[in-house]
Amino acid sequence: MGSGDGASDEYVGLEVLSNQAQSLVAQRHVGLCQLAQAVVLTPHDLRGALDLAKLAETRLRRLGAMLEADRAGELVAELTIRDRARTL
Amino acid sequence: MVHTSLVQDGRILRERYVLERELGQGGAGVVYHAFDLVDEREVAIRVIGDHPGRDLLEVGLRYEAKQVRGLEHPGLVPIFEFNRDGDLLFLVMPLLEGRTLRDLLLPGPLPIPLAAEIGRQVAEVLAHAHGEGVIHRDLKPENLNLSMVDGALHVRVMDFGLSPIADVQAAGEGSQAALSMGTPEYLAPEQVWGGDTDPRTDLYALGLLLYECIVGRPPFVGTGQAVLQAITEATPVRPAVLRTDLPRALDLLVVELLAKDPSRRPGDAGDVAKRLSLYADGSTAATLLIEPARSRGAWTLGGEADARTMLGKAIGRDRELRALDARLTTARSSRLQLVLLSGAIGMGKTTLLDELVLACQQRSIELLRTRADEDHGRLGPFEEVLTAGMARRPEAAGDLVEIAADLVEVFPALNREGLGELASRREPDPQLFAGLSAAAPRRRPRRGVRTEVTRELSPRERVDMLIVRAVEALVADGRPLALTIDDAHLCGETVELVELLFRRLPHSPLLIVVAYQDDGLPPNHALRRLERCLRAHPRCLRQRLGPIAPERYDRLLAQFLGSEQPELDLAESLHHQSGGRPLFARELVRAALESGLLIRREGSWYLDAALWPVPRSLRVQLAGTLNELEDGLVTALRTGSVLAVGSGGFELGHLAELHTRPRNLLVRQLEHAVNRGMLTEHREGGAVVYRFSSEVLRRVIHDDIHEAARRKLHRFCAARLRKIIRGEEDVARDDALFAHLLEAGELADARTWAVALAQRAAAEHRPLRALSKLSALLEVADSLPAVERAELYLASAELELMRKEHGGALSALQRLAATLDESDDSRLEQLGTRGAGLARTMGKRQLADRLLGLRPQDGHSAELELAAKVELAALRPVSSARSMSVGDNHFMHGELSRAREAYENARRRAKSERDLDEELRQLCNLSRVASKLGHYESALNYCREGLELVGSRRTVERVGLWAQAAETHCAAGFLDRAWGELQAGGADLETYPREPRTPERDAVAAALERSAGALFLARGEAEAAIEAYERCLALNAGQQRWTASSVRLHLAQARALAGDASGALRSLERAAKDKGAMGDRRGLARTYCLRVRIMRDLGMIEDASDILDAARDLVKVLDEPRLFALVHVEYGRHLLLGARVPEAGGAARRARDMASRAGAQAELARAEELLGLVALTEGRPEDARRHAGEAVTIADKLGMREVSIGGLLVMAEASPAGGRPELLARARSESEVLGNPFRELDVA
């Protein structure tokens, strides 16, 4: 991603982690990785972050991990507002 | 007073009651939500802190608690226990559901029948308690709990037995002490002046309760000292004065109860209950108890606040309310205002008047409310108004000395209201009454002339003038007065009197509101004349209430149903049915709730029927309106109601076709219906179309037609529509055709049509269009074959899912499942399979199994757990496994001392029979029991004894002893020694040839492998442990089921540690099956716990719920603190992940307390880790660090790396950024040693 704050490393690290979780069928961890990726991505790609946050929320909520799903939901709300503000 | 800092959440009283959270505070202490560790139930605990004279208080409370325990009455909240913990006195009571009377009173007064019912139930409780010599002495709305039991209101009186607190406080500093109790309004006069209290003190309090229920506030309110003075000196305003619809007998009863002198109050609470029972009816309680407090909100005085709160009840009437509000304000400045409030039946006129009553109450404006009717003639309403007015403003009598006798003559009811004495001083005008009853010439009053008339008045005019004078006297002191007359259309002559008041008293602070139905009012009716005359008068406001807009119905529904969200189209369908009339809407909702068709599912309201049921009250009301119509019109409307099925309207041409009457006559008749607000006329596509003002009206008219005639008409209409449609796409006509087919009973045709429509709707992604049709068809589809019904249910479910309405889809699938049971048709199986697919997408596995025709044991569903649970609960320990030895059986069920006894007996027997091998086996068993009991030294002694016994003899049982010694050392944490013993055992075993295999050799080899597995597991060497356990199982094959199931449990543990979640689940499944079959409930609970832990790693959080419930049920029947703690830790983690943080905290605390009491360090570490997580989630980082630190310390000591990692992560997250790297590095190194990929993920 070419940013100077190491976001790219973090993102890739999370991607590796997510794949690892995927291979272990650790669904909640996959959701948590997506949530973390959304956070890392936010300053660079708002829409992409929003998509990831939504995915994370849906996954976590479906699994019943409500606490973390709510966190993802908060991020979705925050990003949506920012996205709207930007579009307006 | 109690200092809350003394009683922190989580504190345990008498090592039994865990205080979980505060519920409320009062003069008598702080009430907590608590958990009783002994009886394992939730309770309420009132903690009473430091009080002056606490010793005396304790004696008093103990005595009262003993007395209250002797009382048995369903309306009385019992006291389980009174005790003290250090400085704190506390009372244990049941935790109640429902609301307090205070909650119910927040929005305002209650319906009178409900108030009487509450009073009746309280009086009955008091009668019982007084009979046993117990007095409450602190009865107030906060102490009454209201709930619905089997659909009936159930009132329970709380805080019996707390009177010593009141006594102690009252003994303090007289009335000042009374003030300190916080609720001086509810004190009896004798309590204020420090006199003796007796049962009649409670009756005074009952009077206060009734007063507040009826009026909305206690008789005396204000600041401390003033209230106390008023209680002892002032006479309360009679409730009937403030509530005009209060029956006189109830008014008198309340006044009697509130007598200052106790001897003047009723003598017995039982009598009071009887007197109240005549007026009591608790049927409205259900609505109020589920209704949120805000929905009965009233007007409040003040600019912005008005706009927000004045819309409490009369939803959709904002404009009208504001206009009324403005008129009320104007009237206060001595400018009489007249409001003519009209509207069709059910438009909400009475609701608006209710709002006005509340507005006046809050502004301290007195309001006199009455209604006109034909029976009481034109003076009837004024008799009521003047009687109530004179009661409230007796000083007005002073202005009426001259005409008092005449007034009493005309209105005898005034005789008892102050005017009686004045009237007796003078004879009434003998001509007055005679003239009145004769047909007096009617003359309209002359305008602009006040009372100084010069000409001779007719008797009727003189009576009118009496009324004007009386009303004038009521407002003579300038205090504003509001006067409302409902149903004024029933008596036009009353309206003439209103007009007279309007013209004669222009400068009075009076607001007169006349409400009436204007549909069908003849043009020469007095109200019509009044409307015409005062149309443009600045002091007159004409308000016509029309239908409420559809978009307001969401709020209306929310008001009826509470805070839960109604389903998306519920408001729309209610609007369609009620035609925008709030009264109809309310009645429909009430009927649907009462008949159980309006149900709450997954947080939203859902109508489980195609149509709203029409309540009888509404039918009677509408039928009454129809009776007033001429026969020809009724016939036309009936035919129209058939034609309008499905579309809500009918064309004039179509109606004319079916009628022989001339078209002009028909038009004239329909015009009359339009004028009466029953129909609306439209012009659509060149044709005149009439629509019914509400679907309910159409249905009432429609249902009134004889069934045979109705069906015939519908068949005719369907046939005609078919001819018109002929393959053309016309949504409206399609809908109408379907409705006609249904009504005509042509279900087969209707089904074909509905299925086609459903397919089209699904293809076009417009599910709503077909859903209502399917639902209507399914309601009458009982006669259709099961396959056809099943097809319809499946289509419904698919469409509901398409619009993401899971509740509706679930209901349809459940019905589909029920239909599948009816027949063995192979086509049904296919439908079931499709249904199961839908159920799976919704995550409903049990339902999917049912739809596939699987019995519970076929699938791995929660039903399996449930069935096992029920079976296990029924098992008696000794009978559970016939093949097991008695000792093993006791061991399995945790009866360790009995197991030891049985093994000792077996050992003695073996010794006497000189069977050395058997004796050695029993020594092994004894060592196992001792090890389980934590007596490691004794366990090792058994092994040593065995080895000495063996001496130099050659027996394979020696290996078993080595294995047992190793296991004991493992359990005690001496891993090196265990390793040495395993080596010794292994070497010994090698001296016995592997082939041919003998059961004895296999048994000891298996024991050796099991011990090795335990050692590897303790060392965290998961792979080695797995291999050892697998070897153990291979050696144990077909032998001991119990041992095998335990080994499988350990194997699962090892696999979970290695990160092989699916392998672990497989082992657990098998272990659970064996343990279930043998009745090993302890083992089963452990299996469940591990399963939940693994499922959590896999993210299967929701799926773990059922298993956790089963585990919790198991530990309830098992008395084992260690297991209790284990299960509750898992349960707490589950709750935490599900965002139920406070409950998770409660479970963690319970687990911690139980674990620390039992000395179970491993469980304690897990509980502390969870507490740390909870604290972290709740934003208490210091607590989180403390708990997690505790967990890490214990876990490090025990070598529990998983817990240690979890604790370190919590600590890292709760620590400032600077301290994190070190903690994370520790977690990472622990994780590397552990080698569990899931924990590695956590750390990463």
Side-chain angles (χ1 to χ4, degrees):
Chain A
M1 307 213 311
S3 68
D5 56 6
S8 137
D9 293 347
E10 283 181 14
Y11 187 82
V12 173
L14 284 165
E15 190 66 49
V16 172
L17 211 57
S18 179
N19 290 339
Q20 217 171 321
Q22 197 81 262
S23 65
L24 287 167
V25 208
Q27 295 289 331
R28 184 173 140 255
H29 284 96
V30 176
L32 291 175
C33 286
Q34 284 173 332
L35 180 56
Q37 281 179 312
V39 175
V40 172
L41 206 55
T42 301
H44 311 280
D45 174 8
L46 199 57
R47 286 280 167 88
L50 191 54
D51 287 346
L52 270 170
K54 279 180 186 167
L55 277 176
E57 192 200 1
T58 316
R59 185 184 290 267
L60 291 167
R61 207 168 285 288
R62 204 184 57 226
L63 293 172
M66 297 302 175
L67 191 69
E68 284 135 356
D70 288 348
R71 279 186 202 151
E74 280 167 25
L75 183 63
V76 169
E78 189 197 320
L79 296 181
T80 310
I81 292 168
R82 280 166 64 175
D83 189 41
R84 290 238 173 99
R86 203 180 56 166
T87 342
L88 288 173
Chain B
M1 289 288 122
V2 176
H3 300 290
T4 44
S5 56
L6 281 178
V7 199
Q8 284 169 347
D9 289 358
R11 173 167 172 169
I12 306 176
L13 298 179
R14 304 288 297 183
E15 297 185 353
R16 174 170 179 177
Y17 302 106
V18 186
L19 300 183
E20 295 194 335
R21 62 175 187 277
E22 188 182 313
L23 293 176
Q25 287 198 34
V30 185
V31 183
Y32 286 87
H33 180 286
F35 187 79
D36 179 352
L37 293 171
V38 174
D39 290 335
E40 288 191 19
R41 61 180 173 183
E42 291 173 323
V43 291
I45 292 191
R46 184 182 286 278
V47 178
I48 300 146
D50 204 13
H51 270 283
R54 48 175 301 117
D55 294 340
L56 193 66
L57 175 68
E58 184 177 350
V59 173
L61 280 172
R62 208 173 280 285
Y63 174 73
E64 285 278 331
K66 193 175 160 194
Q67 273 206 317
V68 173
R69 269 205 289 276
L71 297 177
E72 274 187 26
H73 193 281
L76 209 141
V77 180
I79 294 177
F80 292 151
E81 185 184 341
F82 169 72
N83 219 323
R84 68 182 296 161
D85 184 294
D87 291 342
L88 299 175
L89 303 173
F90 66 91
L91 287 135
V92 186
M93 295 165 287
L95 194 66
L96 299 179
E97 290 183 351
R99 300 167 69 184
T100 65
L101 178 59
R102 168 63 63 224
D103 296 336
L104 221 63
L105 284 171
L106 280 178
L110 303 180
I112 287 167
L114 177 60
E117 174 62 17
I118 293 170
R120 184 190 68 77
Q121 292 197 27
V122 174
E124 281 183 352
V125 175
L126 290 179
H128 177 77
H130 292 167
E132 301 290 327
V134 180
I135 310 169
H136 192 292
R137 281 183 272 197
D138 192 21
L139 214 53
K140 53 191 175 189
E142 289 82 354
N143 286 343
L144 296 189
N145 172 273
L146 279 69
S147 59
M148 297 304 293
V149 177
D150 298 331
L153 173 71
H154 184 50
V155 182
R156 280 191 283 189
V157 182
M158 302 188 277
D159 290 359
F160 253 108
L162 295 185
S163 53
I165 301 174
D167 291 347
V168 167
Q169 284 166 331
E173 295 158 25
S175 59
Q176 203 52 44
L179 273 177
S180 70
M181 288 178 68
T183 46
E185 292 93 340
Y186 298 99
L187 292 177
E190 60 268 29
Q191 284 174 303
V192 176
W193 64 57
D196 289 340
T197 52
D198 62 11
R200 287 169 304 189
T201 308
D202 282 350
L203 290 184
Y204 180 88
L206 176 60
L208 290 176
L209 286 175
L210 279 168
Y211 193 100
E212 190 163 357
C213 288
I214 293 165
V215 175
R217 62 169 173 79
F220 307 110
V221 283
T223 48
Q225 203 59 45
V227 171
L228 295 179
Q229 198 176 351
I231 289 171
T232 51
E233 292 168 13
T235 309
V237 181
R238 282 178 41 202
V241 173
L242 303 168
R243 181 100 180 237
T244 45
D245 53 346
L246 182 69
R248 188 165 173 74
L250 271 186
D251 180 43
L252 282 175
L253 175 62
V254 176
V255 170
E256 269 179 55
L257 287 167
L258 292 178
K260 306 278 180 216
D261 179 359
S263 64
R264 296 177 73 103
R265 294 175 204 151
D268 181 352
D271 290 344
V272 178
K274 272 186 209 153
R275 286 167 72 180
L276 283 167
S277 63
L278 299 173
Y279 303 93
D281 178 8
S283 57
T284 51
T287 329
L288 294 181
L289 281 173
I290 59 163
E291 196 177 345
R294 58 175 172 77
S295 63
R296 287 192 296 133
W299 268 345
T300 51
L301 187 60
E304 287 183 19
D306 276 356
R308 278 199 308 277
T309 54
M310 66 200 291
L311 311 173
K313 197 171 178 185
I315 284 172
R317 302 293 185 207
D318 310 22
R319 195 176 54 81
E320 288 84 356
L321 282 168
R322 282 196 199 98
L324 257 179
D325 188 44
R327 295 286 165 163
L328 191 61
T329 313
T330 317
R332 288 170 87 177
S333 54
S334 292
R335 296 279 295 160
L336 187 145
Q337 303 291 314
L338 174 64
V339 179
L340 299 176
L341 190 64
S342 66
I345 182 171
M347 278 304 174
K349 300 181 290 295
T350 310
T351 312
L352 261 185
L353 292 184
D354 290 345
E355 291 291 293
L356 181 67
V357 171
L358 291 168
C360 289
Q361 259 180 23
Q362 296 199 356
R363 290 164 191 223
S364 304
I365 295 175
E366 278 168 332
L367 181 135
L368 307 173
R369 193 168 178 179
T370 184
R371 63 185 294 274
D373 62 42
E374 285 152 343
D375 297 340
H376 292 88
R378 72 182 194 115
L379 296 181
F382 283 95
E383 180 164 18
E384 273 185 23
V385 163
L386 291 179
T387 313
M390 296 310 287
R392 288 189 201 192
R393 299 183 173 181
E395 64 281 3
D399 292 346
L400 299 171
V401 177
E402 285 176 21
I403 58 166
D406 294 346
L407 271 172
V408 171
E409 184 74 7
V410 179
F411 302 120
L414 287 176
N415 195 21
R416 59 169 189 266
E417 300 292 354
L419 281 178
E421 198 205 329
L422 291 174
S424 61
R425 293 183 197 160
R426 188 187 285 207
E427 284 297 310
D429 181 348
Q431 295 300 313
L432 183 68
F433 217 63
L436 242 189
S437 53
R442 287 185 57 188
R443 275 188 203 168
R444 292 183 60 74
R446 287 169 62 188
R447 296 180 184 184
V449 182
R450 280 183 65 83
T451 46
E452 306 86 26
V453 284
T454 49
R455 71 172 177 84
E456 187 76 10
L457 295 174
S458 72
R460 186 182 170 114
E461 284 173 328
R462 288 176 63 192
V463 170
D464 289 352
M465 289 316 297
L466 283 177
I467 293 171
V468 172
R469 288 275 304 276
V471 173
E472 190 176 22
L474 286 176
V475 290
D477 58 0
R479 279 188 295 156
L481 186 70
L483 198 154
T484 69
I485 304 173
D486 208 351
D487 289 337
H489 57 281
L490 294 176
C491 187
E493 291 177 326
T494 298
V495 181
E496 289 172 1
L497 271 168
V498 171
E499 189 183 356
L500 187 66
L501 287 173
F502 179 78
R503 300 204 182 278
R504 294 285 165 136
L505 305 173
H507 300 294
S508 303
L510 252 180
L511 171 74
I512 306 177
V513 183
V514 181
Y516 56 97
Q517 283 176 30
D518 59 352
D519 44 354
L521 217 54
N524 59 349
H525 192 278
L527 277 162
R528 289 277 184 241
R529 282 204 308 273
L530 194 65
E531 280 175 1
R532 281 196 297 273
C533 295
L534 302 181
R535 194 184 306 135
H537 198 292
R539 285 192 291 111
C540 177
L541 169 73
R542 200 183 155 210
Q543 289 279 356
R544 187 167 196 286
L545 300 185
I548 290 185
E551 56 270 21
R552 302 277 187 195
Y553 262 61
D554 279 338
R555 274 176 59 200
L556 200 66
L557 257 180
Q559 185 195 58
F560 296 148
L561 298 174
S563 55
E564 305 269 354
Q565 281 298 309
E567 217 198 16
L568 282 176
D569 53 347
L570 203 60
E572 194 186 326
S573 84
L574 185 63
H575 179 263
H576 175 62
Q577 290 287 324
S578 63
R581 298 181 188 209
L583 177 73
F584 287 10
R586 197 182 67 206
E587 290 299 309
L588 287 171
V589 170
R590 184 172 294 173
L593 281 172
E594 278 172 7
S595 56
L597 290 174
L598 196 56
I599 46 180
R600 204 171 357 186
R601 199 163 41 200
E602 293 175 5
S604 73
W605 288 94
Y606 169 83
L607 183 69
D608 197 17
L611 287 175
W612 291 82
V614 182
R616 197 173 163 274
S617 58
L618 215 52
R619 282 188 190 276
V620 169
Q621 209 169 13
L622 290 170
T625 321
L626 290 174
N627 284 341
E628 293 166 11
L629 304 180
E630 57 169 302
D631 289 348
L633 175 57
V634 173
T635 315
L637 287 175
R638 283 178 175 172
T639 316
S641 74
V642 171
L643 288 169
V645 162
S647 60
F650 58 90
E651 284 185 25
L652 178 63
H654 295 159
L655 186 69
E657 265 178 51
L658 293 166
H659 275 266
T660 49
R661 261 169 290 165
R663 193 178 171 109
N664 287 349
L665 180 62
L666 209 54
V667 170
R668 265 208 307 281
Q669 284 174 332
L670 292 176
E671 253 172 34
H672 183 59
V674 172
N675 288 336
R676 294 202 59 134
M678 302 173 103
L679 296 176
T680 50
E681 191 181 333
H682 308 265
R683 194 158 280 279
E684 291 173 12
V688 179
V689 174
Y690 291 95
R691 292 193 178 280
F692 283 91
S693 57
S694 70
E695 180 63 9
V696 168
L697 175 67
R698 190 202 66 75
R699 284 169 60 195
V700 169
I701 298 172
H702 180 263
D703 295 351
D704 206 27
I705 312 172
H706 189 270
E707 193 180 348
R710 207 165 61 202
R711 290 196 167 204
K712 195 175 158 190
L713 269 172
H714 281 295
R715 266 197 289 275
F716 171 80
C717 293
R720 190 168 50 80
L721 273 172
R722 271 205 180 107
K723 277 185 207 159
I724 299 170
I725 297 171
R726 284 202 181 278
E728 285 175 30
E729 180 91 9
D730 185 335
V731 175
R733 282 188 176 136
D734 274 353
D735 289 355
L737 172 61
F738 175 72
H740 283 304
L741 287 173
L742 270 193
E743 292 287 353
E746 310 268 355
L747 295 188
D749 283 355
R751 190 196 73 83
T752 319
W753 186 91
V755 170
L757 179 68
Q759 285 166 353
R760 221 168 37 235
E764 293 167 6
H765 281 276
R766 287 191 303 172
L768 263 181
R769 220 197 122 199
L771 268 173
S772 58
K773 308 288 179 298
L774 285 174
S775 150
L777 176 59
L778 280 166
E779 277 203 358
V780 290
D782 285 346
S783 59
L784 287 177
V787 179
E788 296 185 354
R789 264 180 294 137
E791 200 178 15
L792 294 173
Y793 284 128
L794 186 65
S796 286
E798 282 170 346
L799 293 173
E800 291 280 15
L801 262 186
M802 188 177 283
R803 67 180 192 124
K804 298 193 170 55
E805 272 301 322
H806 280 219
L810 196 61
S811 164
L813 287 177
Q814 276 161 349
R815 286 176 190 192
L816 171 64
T819 316
L820 296 180
D821 296 340
E822 288 177 23
S823 159
D824 291 331
D825 195 321
S826 60
R827 284 175 297 167
L828 278 175
E829 268 183 34
Q830 289 173 6
L831 295 172
T833 313
R834 279 170 61 193
L838 294 183
R840 263 193 231 107
T841 57
M842 292 162 64
K844 304 285 176 188
R845 292 185 189 174
Q846 291 175 46
L847 183 60
D849 285 355
R850 203 174 147 209
L851 285 163
L852 286 171
L854 291 176
R855 298 196 178 285
Q857 59 263 40
D858 296 334
H860 303 297
S861 62
E863 284 177 44
L864 175 67
E865 263 73 51
L866 193 68
K869 191 174 73 189
V870 171
E871 279 169 20
L872 290 177
L875 280 177
R876 295 302 310 145
V878 183
S879 67
S880 56
R882 288 184 196 89
S883 60
M884 288 172 81
S885 76
V886 178
D888 284 355
N889 215 328
H890 285 311
F891 195 172
M892 185 175 88
H893 289 293
E895 293 162 339
L896 299 180
S897 50
R898 291 173 77 177
R900 180 185 257 181
E901 209 174 303
Y903 290 140
E904 279 288 2
N905 288 338
R907 184 197 167 195
R908 274 199 292 274
R909 203 164 43 242
K911 202 171 184 177
S912 66
E913 290 169 3
R914 297 183 183 281
D915 183 346
L916 180 66
D917 288 351
E918 181 59 25
E919 194 182 351
L920 292 176
R921 275 196 287 275
Q922 295 310 327
L923 277 170
C924 264
N925 285 336
L926 283 166
S927 168
R928 208 147 46 102
V929 175
S931 172
K932 183 84 174 172
L933 282 165
H935 305 158
Y936 299 118
E937 199 49 50
S938 156
L940 289 169
N941 279 338
Y942 280 121
C943 293
R944 277 187 210 116
E945 195 182 336
L947 289 169
E948 280 167 18
L949 209 61
V950 174
S952 54
R953 265 176 287 185
R954 184 174 161 78
T955 168
V956 77
E957 295 304 332
R958 188 206 306 265
V959 183
L961 287 167
W962 284 123
Q964 180 52 42
E967 198 161 335
T968 306
H969 271 128
C970 249
F974 298 104
L975 303 187
D976 296 342
R977 291 189 198 173
W979 178 244
E981 279 147 1
L982 280 175
Q983 294 293 322
D988 206 355
L989 187 66
E990 286 305 313
T991 61
Y992 296 89
R994 286 172 195 262
E995 297 294 338
R997 283 179 71 172
T998 59
E1000 290 78 16
R1001 188 188 185 279
D1002 281 358
V1004 292
L1008 207 58
E1009 293 294 357
R1010 198 174 64 184
S1011 299
L1015 176 64
F1016 293 133
L1017 207 54
R1019 280 181 181 173
E1021 295 168 17
E1023 293 298 338
I1026 292 170
E1027 283 170 20
Y1029 283 128
E1030 278 175 346
R1031 281 197 301 271
C1032 172
L1033 279 174
L1035 288 164
N1036 195 54
Q1039 291 184 22
Q1040 281 205 7
R1041 199 177 187 186
W1042 176 45
T1043 318
S1045 66
S1046 299
V1047 172
R1048 283 207 176 85
L1049 177 58
H1050 294 311
L1051 175 62
Q1053 246 172 330
R1055 284 183 166 155
L1057 196 64
D1060 175 12
S1062 53
L1065 280 180
R1066 269 201 310 279
S1067 300
L1068 282 175
E1069 208 165 293
R1070 182 77 193 275
K1073 200 172 166 190
D1074 282 352
K1075 290 195 177 293
M1078 297 173 75
D1080 180 2
R1081 291 178 285 190
R1082 283 172 169 69
L1084 196 59
R1086 286 205 169 79
T1087 315
Y1088 285 157
C1089 282
L1090 187 56
R1091 198 158 151 190
V1092 167
R1093 216 178 291 161
I1094 296 166
M1095 287 169 91
R1096 196 169 52 233
D1097 276 344
L1098 292 175
M1100 299 158 73
I1101 293 147
E1102 211 158 49
D1103 297 334
S1105 288
D1106 294 332
I1107 300 170
L1108 262 175
D1109 286 345
R1112 284 173 66 215
D1113 286 339
L1114 275 174
V1115 292
K1116 263 183 208 163
V1117 293
L1118 298 170
D1119 183 22
E1120 198 171 309
R1122 189 183 284 260
L1123 253 185
F1124 179 95
L1126 189 67
V1127 170
H1128 278 78
V1129 167
E1130 296 305 331
Y1131 181 55
R1133 272 188 172 274
H1134 184 77
L1135 290 170
L1136 185 65
L1137 281 168
R1140 290 159 66 188
V1141 184
E1143 290 102 319
R1149 277 193 291 275
R1150 262 174 252 160
R1152 181 197 53 192
D1153 298 336
M1154 201 54 112
S1156 75
R1157 271 172 57 193
Q1161 290 294 300
E1163 285 73 17
L1164 185 61
R1166 289 187 189 278
E1168 288 288 355
E1169 186 203 347
L1170 178 58
L1171 278 170
L1173 265 174
V1174 171
L1176 186 66
T1177 315
E1178 288 178 338
R1180 294 182 282 115
E1182 279 182 23
D1183 288 346
R1185 277 203 300 278
R1186 182 165 52 81
H1187 287 300
E1190 191 73 21
V1192 172
T1193 313
I1194 304 171
D1196 283 348
K1197 213 185 294 174
L1198 300 178
M1200 296 168 69
R1201 289 210 170 85
E1202 281 201 84
V1203 179
S1204 187
I1205 292 168
L1208 286 167
L1209 291 179
V1210 173
M1211 283 171 79
E1213 212 165 328
S1215 300
R1220 280 182 193 170
E1222 189 196 340
L1223 290 163
L1224 286 173
R1226 264 181 75 190
R1228 182 175 286 277
S1229 67
E1230 290 278 352
S1231 153
E1232 277 165 8
V1233 176
L1234 183 68
N1236 181 319
F1238 290 101
R1239 299 293 77 80
E1240 279 173 14
L1241 273 180
D1242 283 344
V1243 177

